[in-house]
Every structure is written in structure tokens, then in C-alpha cells.
Amino acid sequence: KKMSLPKVISQDTYDEVVLENVTDFDKTLAEAIDETVQEFEAQGVLLSNIIKNVSLSDNQDAIVHPILNALEELRLVNSSSDSPALEQVSAPITTFRKECELSLCHRVMAAKKGAYDVLIRLINKSRNNVEVLCPLLQSMVALTDGNPDILTVEGMQVMQELAESYKSNYSCDAMEYLARWCLLSNLKHEVNRQALFAIQLPHSLVGSLHQVDPVQHKTRVLTTLKAIKSFTLDDDIRTEFGKAHDNCRHVVEEEKLIKVSLDIIKASVKSGSGLVAGEALSTLSSVCVRAEYCRQATDLGALDVINSILLNFLDSAVLTKQSMALIATLAGDDNVKYQVMKSATPFLITKAFDKHQLNVGVCGACCTAISMLVLRQPKNGAAMLECGAAASMLQAMKQHPKQKQLQKMGCLGVRNICCRSSENAALLRELQADDVVLTALKTHGADIKDMANGALRDLGVDVTLVEQWHGTGHELEQGDD
């Protein structure tokens, strides 16, 4: 049986039926809207692309959309060749932005009616007039949200040129809006990402963070870091291979992003701004994709920075989780593992577990950090047992039995601690690690089987490793077609 596609209608059709219900059947607007929605839904029409709550004109004889009226006003302003004055654009651009923020339907309708071109032309004319430029950029951000296909080559050029002009300007919000425009254009859109990368937008974005004060310009720093990080994503299902790794290499090697991020974290910790520190930690984790970058970050003092966060912001679950994620990333390099174990980090992992025992995210990140730090390093496993981190990890597994990912990383942690070390295995058995792993295996079965069986085997517990499939040599029976 063929699946029938849902029926769709245009906004104009919907508007006509609402108006008909008001004028021909004498209903109030609210009644007319209800009636129209029920009517279309009964016919199997999909209304997710329709603005349902419409307005009537003053004399009640037409449906009006404030966003389209505002767009017409902006079009009029555009018809003059002069650079627009603030009083000309202020009211319509505010209405336009607020309407865009209501829903994706509003944004799509405005884009279909040519809003993008109108805004680009106005932005182009207002490049040097900050008080007009900023609200225009803000509206472009609103229009692009969830709607990245609207970006054109001309728009990219404008974005890049403005970012280069305003990257050292801290007296207005232009750079913040440009970073946000870039971020929303990149999300789930590999084509935009590669094109913006090709015109060197990351150079301007990283450059705009060089002299920045993370407290005074908090939103700008947060948005810019997110925009830079968006170049390291592989989130577009329409593209088989992205360029995330190459982009990471560029921002680390050419733009010196590791040092820039660490400087921001240090300044944020000093001033107590946890939010900015967290975003910079997350950015670091996303770009340390090679062993030499992990070493570079460590040589530039990343461990001291992480440890100072874990000491100063231990109450913050978000920062603790991000710090653990960065430790796990950096520990991809054996030399870094050694340095981490020499520092106060193992003790701080135990403290993080104890402080956030009820927080699944933190406990999972701590388990991952431990499993990475002890991988192929029996000495590190012994140190984790000694400082209590291993016991805390088992306690977290008992505390959150239903959390599959945490159980998986916990089993991996147990396996890596006792792999190649019968002493470590004996100490883990004293902590009843085998019971904890068996419970996890019973609860989650096939999903964590490999990790759990590996942990039990290295703990010295008898495990029946089931073969996946036995070939019997018989020909398969052919079923009837």
C-alpha cells in the first residue's frame, strides 16, 4: 500500500478561508480561525507550515500580516539610493524582527517574499552607520534561525567584510550579531560552512577574541566561540563527508585558537565568569583532534586551567562536566596522561564524583575521563584506586543503574584499570566491581555486552563469551516469492 503524502496548502489559501468564515458566516476572528483549522485538519491537510493566528485589517475586509507590512516599509526605504536614517528603519525593523522571532513559519513566509534581499541591500548601505547596521543585522539573524538555505554568496561576502571591519570594535554589538549570523548559517549546513571557511571568516572570528574582556563582552565572546566551533561540526546528514578535521587543523595551526581559548578561560576564572569559561572549554575539546594538539594545549597550561576550574567552580555541574570532557580529550596522548596523573587532577576527579553523585552528566564524564587516563597504563589504574576515584566510579554506577551510557563508560573504566594488572583486578574485586558490572550487564544486555564482558574477563571472573553466529554449512531454504 503506497503511503499518501500529507496535503499542504499555501498561506494565502488559509487566509482566504479564515476571511470567508468571518465575512460570510459572521464569526469572530477567533471562531473563524478555530473553524478553519478544524476544517483543514479533517481533510488531512498539514498546517505546520502555516501561520494560524492571523490578524484582520482595520475595516475587517482583509487578512494582514504585520511582518509583510513591515517588509513593505523596508522595501520603500530601500528604493532610495541614500544610506537609510535610523528613524526610517527603526519601527519597521523592530516589528519585522519580533515577528520573525515568533515562529519558523513567519521566517519562511518573509524569506519567500524577498526579505533576505531587502535586508542585504539595507545592510550594504548602512555599513558605516552602526546604529542602523546593528538592528538590521539583528533582523538578519532572526530571519536565518532554522532557515540557513537563504544565505547567498553576496551575503557571505557582506558577512566577511563586516566581520573584518568590526572585529576590533568593542563599542557596538555588530560583531556579536555577525557571529550569530554565521553560527545559524552553519548549523546542519555543510555547504555554507565550507563556503564561509573558504572566504576566511574564522580568521576574523578568532581575531575578534584577541583583546576581548570575557566579562564586559560576555555575550559576544560566547556567540563567537560557538560560531568558531560550528566550523568543527559534522552535523549535516545531506553530506557524506564534511571538512571538520581540516577546519580544526586550520584554526589551531593558523589562528592559534588553543592559546586564545586558554587565555579566555584564565580571564574568566579570574573574574568568576563560569559561563564563558565553559564555552571556551567546550571549544578546546572540539579542536583538540590530534595528539600534537593535546600536547600543545597541555604545554600552554591547560591542566593548570582545568584544575583551577575544578577547585574554584566545583559547585557548577556544567563546568565540572566540561572540564572532565576536556581531560578525556587531552588524555588521548600518552605524554599528557603522565602529566595529568602527576597533577592534582585524579584527586579532583574523586571530589567531582562526590560533589555531583546525583548528576548523570558529570558522573558519565568522570567515568570517561578515568577510562581514557588509565588506558594501557596500569600505574595510572593503581593511582585511581589509591585516590578513591575508582571506588567513586563504582558508586556512580550503583547510583544510576538505568543510565546506559554511564554504565558503558563505567565498564570501560573498570576494564582499563585492571587490564594488564592482576593487582588492580584484585583491588577492584574487593570493591565488588564484578557485582556492579554483572548488574549493568543484566540491566542493559546486548547494548553494553562487549564492554561488560571485557571488564569481567580482566577482573578474572569467568565469562561465557557467546559466539555471534555458527555457520552450519546448510544451504538456506528459498522461501516462496
Side-chain angles (χ1 to χ4, degrees):
K1 185 183 170 185
K2 276 172 75 175
M3 273 181 66
S4 58
L5 290 168
K7 299 173 199 160
V8 287
I9 54 164
S10 69
Q11 185 70 47
D12 290 343
T13 305
Y14 175 87
D15 293 353
E16 278 166 25
V17 177
V18 172
L19 190 60
E20 201 176 281
N21 279 331
V22 171
T23 52
D24 297 0
F25 300 103
D26 231 14
K27 294 185 183 299
T28 65
L29 180 62
E31 288 168 347
I33 289 170
D34 281 348
E35 178 91 16
T36 308
V37 169
Q38 282 170 19
E39 213 175 294
F40 279 124
E41 285 179 346
Q43 294 167 31
V45 174
L46 192 71
L47 293 178
S48 58
N49 61 330
I50 295 296
I51 299 166
K52 298 185 193 74
N53 289 327
V54 291
S55 314
L56 277 172
S57 60
D58 292 341
N59 51 8
Q60 309 260 308
D61 64 351
I63 296 289
V64 291
H65 290 281
I67 193 165
L68 297 184
N69 294 350
L71 184 56
E72 278 316 302
E73 284 184 58
L74 292 171
R75 214 175 242 125
L76 276 174
V77 174
N78 236 340
S79 59
S80 148
S81 57
D82 302 335
S83 151
L86 183 61
E87 53 273 19
Q88 287 177 289
V89 294
S90 184
I93 204 71
T94 305
T95 303
F96 181 84
R97 190 191 79 243
K98 285 182 174 162
E99 289 282 307
C100 274
E101 287 167 355
L102 290 175
S103 77
L104 184 57
C105 302
H106 287 78
R107 304 194 277 279
V108 169
M109 179 169 78
K112 276 183 183 160
K113 301 285 186 185
Y116 177 84
D117 290 332
V118 171
L119 287 180
I120 284 287
R121 297 233 305 281
L122 286 168
I123 287 168
N124 250 329
K125 288 178 186 171
S126 311
R127 287 179 180 225
N128 302 318
N129 183 349
V130 172
E131 52 177 14
V132 177
L133 179 65
C134 283
L136 288 169
L137 288 174
Q138 216 179 345
S139 289
M140 182 59 96
V141 166
L143 184 67
T144 307
D145 192 359
N147 200 16
D149 287 331
I150 60 175
L151 187 65
T152 59
V153 172
E154 186 193 3
M156 292 180 193
Q157 210 55 52
V158 169
M159 194 194 296
Q160 199 278 328
E161 286 164 12
L162 285 171
E164 204 44 40
S165 301
Y166 283 94
K167 68 180 181 187
S168 304
N169 183 326
Y170 298 102
S171 61
C172 73
D173 294 331
M175 199 61 213
E176 181 195 319
Y177 300 136
L178 288 163
R180 185 118 185 98
W181 183 13
C182 163
L183 171 65
L184 293 171
S185 300
N186 277 352
L187 290 177
K188 300 189 176 163
H189 207 298
E190 184 65 26
V191 173
N192 286 353
R193 208 166 10 229
Q194 289 188 23
L196 287 170
F197 188 86
I199 59 171
Q200 301 188 320
L201 192 64
H203 176 74
S204 309
L205 290 170
V206 179
S208 82
L209 294 172
H210 283 163
Q211 303 299 319
V212 81
D213 179 333
V215 180
Q216 215 179 329
H217 306 112
K218 185 161 116 184
T219 323
R220 170 175 169 160
V221 177
L222 286 170
T223 312
T224 307
L225 285 169
K226 284 184 176 136
I228 294 166
K229 204 165 58 177
S230 71
F231 285 98
T232 71
L233 298 173
D234 254 332
D235 61 357
D236 188 345
I237 54 170
R238 298 169 297 185
T239 313
E240 199 173 346
F241 298 109
K243 291 276 188 74
H245 193 91
D246 294 343
N247 296 353
C248 286
R249 194 166 66 202
H250 174 86
V251 290
V252 170
E253 293 176 13
E254 305 299 323
E255 309 298 344
K256 309 289 180 266
L257 183 63
I258 290 177
K259 184 182 186 309
V260 172
S261 299
L262 283 168
D263 288 345
I264 288 172
I265 299 171
K266 286 172 193 165
S268 308
V269 170
K270 212 172 183 177
S271 59
S273 174
L275 202 60
V276 177
E279 196 53 55
L281 276 172
S282 168
T283 304
L284 262 184
S285 291
S286 69
V287 297
C288 286
V289 293
R290 300 163 75 127
E292 63 260 39
Y293 302 164
C294 297
R295 286 197 291 276
Q296 186 187 330
T298 311
D299 292 345
L300 288 168
L303 292 181
D304 294 339
V305 168
I306 292 168
N307 289 345
S308 71
I309 287 176
L310 290 171
L311 281 167
N312 292 308
F313 295 97
L314 190 62
D315 288 345
S316 164
V318 172
L319 276 179
T320 304
K321 181 182 168 185
Q322 282 162 330
S323 299
M324 291 300 155
L326 184 54
I327 290 168
T329 301
L330 297 178
D333 179 71
D334 283 352
N335 184 40
V336 175
K337 285 189 180 94
Y338 172 72
Q339 293 191 48
V340 172
M341 297 308 292
K342 260 191 353 190
S343 74
T345 310
F347 166 72
L348 290 167
I349 292 175
T350 311
K351 289 201 56 140
F353 263 129
D354 296 345
K355 181 77 188 172
H356 298 284
Q357 193 64 244
L358 300 176
N359 186 302
V360 177
V362 174
C363 288
C366 288
C367 291
T368 306
I370 290 175
S371 69
M372 287 301 292
L373 287 166
V374 300
L375 180 65
R376 300 187 306 275
Q377 305 287 336
K379 271 190 191 160
N380 294 359
M384 287 295 179
L385 281 155
E386 202 178 315
C387 73
S392 296
M393 179 172 74
L394 294 170
Q395 183 54 41
M397 290 175 76
K398 289 181 199 166
Q399 185 81 50
H400 304 283
K402 298 272 188 291
Q403 298 294 332
K404 184 168 66 187
Q405 189 56 24
L406 184 146
Q407 296 297 324
K408 195 186 258 187
M409 296 321 294
C411 289
L412 184 62
V414 168
R415 190 185 86 185
N416 290 353
I417 287 172
C418 58
C419 182
R420 310 180 188 196
S421 169
S422 52
E423 291 94 344
N424 290 354
L427 288 167
L428 277 169
R429 284 199 303 275
E430 280 176 31
L431 294 169
Q432 270 106 40
D434 42 346
D435 291 347
V436 177
V437 174
L438 281 165
T439 305
L441 186 55
K442 274 191 200 125
T443 310
H444 297 284
D447 288 335
I448 67 161
K449 192 172 73 180
D450 292 346
M451 302 278 191
N453 281 339
L456 291 167
R457 179 197 61 220
D458 290 339
L459 276 167
V461 178
D462 283 339
V463 188
T464 316
L465 294 172
V466 183
E467 280 187 59
Q468 298 294 318
W469 179 71
H470 296 279
T472 58
H474 292 302
E475 277 190 28
L476 293 174
E477 282 183 24
Q478 297 295 319
D480 296 330
D481 279 337

